[in-house]
Amino acid sequence: MSLNGWLQIVVFIAAVLLLAKPMGSYMAAVFERRKTFLDPVLAPCERLLYRLTGVHPEQEMRWTEYLVAMLIFSGATLVLTYVVERVQHILPLNPQHLPGVESALALNTAISFTTNTNWQSYVPETTMSYLTQMLGLATHNFWSAAVGIALAIAFIRGIARRESKTLGNFWVDLTRATLWVLLPISVVLSLALVSQGVVQNFRPYDTARLVEAQKVTGADGKVTTVTTQTIAQGPVASQEAIKMLGTNGGGFFNANSAHPFENPTPLSNFLEMLAIFLIPAGLTVTLGQMVGSPRHGWAVLAAMVVLWFAGTSVCYWAEAQANPMLHGVDQHASMMQPGGNMEGKEVRFGIANSALFAAVTTDASCGAVNGMHDSFMPLGGMVPMANILLGEIVFGGVGAGLYGMLVFVVMAVFIAGLMVGRTPEYLGKKIEAYDVKMSMLYLLIFPLIILGFASVSVLMPKLGLSSLANQGPHGLSEILYAYTSATGNNGSAFAGLNANTHWYNYSLGIAMFFGRFMMAIPMLAIAGNLAGKKIVPASAGTFPVTTPLFTTLLTGVILIVGALTFFPALSLGPILEHLLLRAGHAF
């Protein structure tokens, strides 16, 4: 570890905190339908969309109606993406003449992008045409992110309103999230990325002659001489911007944000990380302003920052350590080398930015990577996995992170009430049995999906184990990470697992689908129930949710729930691998 590395980490989180308030205040104005500087341009577009689609913006929805509208929209766009993938060979903007995508993979990908997961069991530049990348995938980066924001705003309204039966209008929230939040920032970010060298064109792939011919041994053992290289390109910058801003993560290229056409410079790397946290951090300020308690929003943000800093520090420390299996190799940091574990990392980013990016992308449900998590040291690789296992609530995905965190807030308030012997209250509303039951249902669905599918994959060798590149505890980590990433709608992977099989395409697709939509049901049920409650005056026994004590309790509840649920699995995976590595065993 170095002072320079720590300075980069501090500058990053300082930039996030500085932007949180203006971003959050802007979103509060957007969803409370107050005036913004973009209204003259966007308000006419909004009205036109409502007229064309028959939406009545003044008509609000109960939580069940809100849920049904969200499911209908997600289902329709899922089918659209699936169809585009299957018939891309007869559609335009396919200069490489790529064939239609195989059915299992097409379904997995359609579910993946619909659920904001962007898990990719394929090589994008050799599988998806330009039209599929734009019409099927990039559009979903907007839609799935907007759905997440809409659900978070509905939850906030449930907290803020009193004796109300409605949570707003899904179609209005979806439209405003897309037009006022995602589109404008994506345009600015796309131009900034282009200025750094991110590619944006529709040209066919180029062929370049190698300076030195290479001999390659094929799977059949035959040796061939390679003299040329294909240079993939396309409309990258426009997809890269929303991929980060919407915490989607699906790369235009297989190497994702480690590819120089997606992430060429340290500045582009910084901007991409900043985009990942921008909306999730801002939504905590939106929460505070819409519920009339700004300090509560900052207390929630403080819990997120504490958890982020802990994970980042552990990951940075682990990756800065020398690999004990590399005997006789100088791995100490010096003016000539970074030291530590540089396997799977880009030299232009180094250890500090690789560890930081890994923590940021898994603290949010983004899934973009600028280094390969599979090549991290065991404890370094455990941090991204643990970040997702906490429920993707450390900042979390756009919207999804906040409403997941608010479920933990309900549990923290309930536990605080038990400790003082009073009926728990949250911002003047009593937390009752129904709220706690729905919260527990939300928290139990997550481990049930992850551990259930991981167990089946481990116990059925022909289905799960045959896809592994590594055995032992590292192989278990690859399987566990895959289902964790899918259920948490993250999308990153331990790349040693070949997930492009029928078993993994279908099982991961199911995990992504239920991880997104099944968990939205109890969340909206809590919001609907809270919206109908009366406000209870605060008393001497009311537990304040605006203090450092609340932040500490919330952080503790998150860690205890995560540790009790997943610690046994982590013990058999990355923790065991770390101990065996120190004893001289690798996998």
Side-chain angles (χ1 to χ4, degrees):
M1 294 188 288
S2 66
L3 177 60
N4 179 273
W6 284 113
L7 284 175
Q8 293 181 68
I9 292 171
V10 170
V11 168
F12 167 75
I13 196 61
V16 171
L17 296 176
L18 284 173
L19 292 173
K21 185 171 183 179
M23 187 68 208
S25 298
Y26 172 73
M27 288 190 290
V30 167
F31 292 106
E32 289 180 336
R33 308 194 74 174
R34 292 185 269 119
K35 287 186 177 180
T36 72
F37 68 97
L38 290 176
D39 285 7
V41 176
L42 297 179
C45 299
E46 180 185 30
R47 289 193 294 268
L48 177 61
L49 282 173
Y50 294 156
R51 280 198 293 268
L52 292 175
T53 56
V55 171
H56 302 287
E58 71 284 348
Q59 184 177 336
E60 294 207 342
M61 301 176 175
R62 298 171 182 265
W63 77 265
T64 49
E65 296 171 319
Y66 203 99
L67 173 68
V68 170
M70 183 270 293
L71 292 175
I72 290 173
F73 175 78
S74 299
T77 55
L78 188 156
V79 172
L80 170 65
T81 298
Y82 177 80
V83 172
V84 169
E85 290 180 78
R86 294 286 286 154
V87 301
Q88 71 174 10
H89 58 291
I90 62 174
L91 296 176
L93 289 178
N94 186 8
Q96 311 311 116
H97 305 291
L98 298 172
V101 182
E102 184 269 331
S103 60
L105 179 59
L107 179 61
N108 176 280
T109 305
I111 294 173
S112 175
F113 279 77
T114 302
T115 58
N116 200 241
T117 308
N118 292 32
W119 173 273
Q120 294 172 294
S121 297
Y122 58 90
V123 178
E125 57 263 49
T126 61
T127 308
M128 301 296 178
S129 70
Y130 289 168
L131 185 68
T132 303
Q133 292 270 21
M134 293 187 298
L135 180 60
L137 307 185
T139 52
H140 255 123
N141 287 347
F142 284 95
W143 294 332
S144 63
V147 167
I149 295 173
L151 291 173
I153 295 300
F155 201 129
I156 293 172
R157 290 198 189 103
I159 299 169
R161 293 181 175 183
R162 61 187 71 179
E163 300 181 73
S164 172
K165 296 180 179 180
T166 61
L167 296 175
N169 186 306
F170 170 76
W171 305 111
V172 173
D173 292 338
L174 179 77
T175 301
R176 296 185 75 82
T178 304
L179 291 182
W180 266 264
V181 180
L182 297 172
L183 269 173
I185 304 175
S186 293
V187 170
V188 175
L189 183 58
S190 296
L191 294 174
L193 293 177
V194 168
S195 76
Q196 293 300 297
V198 178
V199 173
Q200 180 74 14
N201 61 42
F202 291 104
R203 293 175 53 184
Y205 296 172
D206 289 329
T207 301
R209 183 168 294 278
L210 298 178
V211 175
E212 183 178 342
Q214 301 290 318
K215 294 187 180 298
V216 178
T217 303
D220 56 358
K222 185 179 180 180
V223 178
T224 57
T225 301
V226 177
T227 60
T228 61
Q229 178 183 2
T230 300
I231 309 296
Q233 53 201 309
V236 181
S238 55
Q239 183 163 319
E240 189 73 12
I242 187 58
K243 148 191 163 182
M244 297 303 192
L245 184 66
T247 61
N248 298 283
F252 195 96
F253 301 107
N254 191 43
N256 207 281
S257 290
H259 197 291
F261 282 1
E262 286 197 34
N263 190 10
T265 68
L267 179 57
S268 70
N269 189 67
F270 181 84
L271 291 174
E272 290 179 13
M273 289 191 296
L274 194 60
I276 294 172
F277 271 7
L278 180 62
I279 295 177
L283 278 170
T284 61
V285 177
T286 304
L287 164 70
Q289 293 189 5
M290 290 182 68
V291 301
S293 178
R295 291 179 60 194
H296 174 57
W298 288 111
V300 172
L301 179 60
M304 293 179 174
V305 172
V306 168
L307 292 167
W308 164 84
F309 182 75
T312 301
S313 300
V314 172
C315 192
Y316 186 22
W317 169 83
E319 294 310 298
Q321 303 302 305
N323 189 328
M325 296 293 288
L326 299 178
H327 303 292
V329 177
D330 182 11
Q331 300 180 68
H332 298 288
S334 68
M335 295 294 292
M336 301 299 293
Q337 63 180 19
N341 176 36
M342 278 297 293
E343 180 187 346
K345 299 177 178 64
E346 289 295 304
V347 175
R348 66 186 186 276
F349 302 136
I351 290 174
N353 268 293
S354 297
L356 175 59
F357 201 107
V360 167
T361 197
T362 51
D363 278 332
S365 64
C366 184
V369 294
N370 75 351
M372 294 300 104
H373 298 173
D374 198 41
S375 295
F376 279 25
M377 299 292 281
L379 295 184
M382 182 182 73
V383 169
M385 191 190 309
N387 286 340
I388 309 172
L389 289 171
L390 290 178
E392 290 281 47
I393 45 81
V394 187
F395 290 92
V398 287
L402 180 65
Y403 67 67
M405 176 63 86
L406 290 175
V407 171
F408 274 104
V409 168
V410 170
M411 292 303 302
V413 170
F414 171 70
I415 292 171
L418 292 180
M419 290 192 291
V420 299
R422 284 177 52 89
T423 301
E425 299 169 12
Y426 176 38
L427 294 174
K429 296 185 176 182
K430 291 187 178 294
I431 301 300
E432 298 168 311
Y434 181 85
D435 307 301
V436 177
K437 289 177 182 177
M438 290 298 103
S439 297
M440 287 308 304
L441 179 60
Y442 179 96
L443 297 176
L444 288 173
I445 290 171
F446 191 64
L448 177 64
I449 298 172
I450 295 172
L451 298 178
F453 276 123
S455 299
V456 172
S457 297
V458 169
L459 294 174
M460 301 184 71
K462 291 184 179 179
L463 292 180
L465 301 184
S466 60
S467 292
L468 291 176
N470 303 89
Q471 301 301 312
H474 193 81
L476 175 61
S477 295
E478 290 174 348
I479 293 175
L480 183 62
Y481 194 105
Y483 288 109
T484 299
S485 179
T487 309
N489 301 140
N490 182 272
S492 62
F494 267 27
L497 176 72
N498 173 25
N500 192 12
T501 65
H502 276 75
W503 165 248
Y504 280 112
N505 277 329
Y506 286 125
S507 63
L508 289 169
I510 294 170
M512 289 183 280
F513 188 88
F514 286 118
R516 174 75 161 189
F517 299 119
M518 184 178 286
M519 294 176 71
I521 297 173
M523 180 276 296
L524 282 174
I526 297 170
N529 193 48
L530 289 175
K533 295 188 178 187
K534 299 179 180 180
I535 296 294
V536 179
S539 66
T542 300
F543 181 70
V545 292
T546 59
T547 63
L549 178 60
F550 167 74
T551 298
T552 303
L553 177 64
L554 177 59
T555 304
V557 169
I558 293 167
L559 291 175
I560 289 171
V561 170
L564 290 178
T565 305
F566 295 107
F567 183 75
L570 293 174
S571 298
L572 295 173
I575 295 175
L576 177 59
E577 184 185 2
H578 169 76
L579 296 175
L580 291 175
L581 182 67
R582 294 294 169 184
H585 301 283
F587 299 91

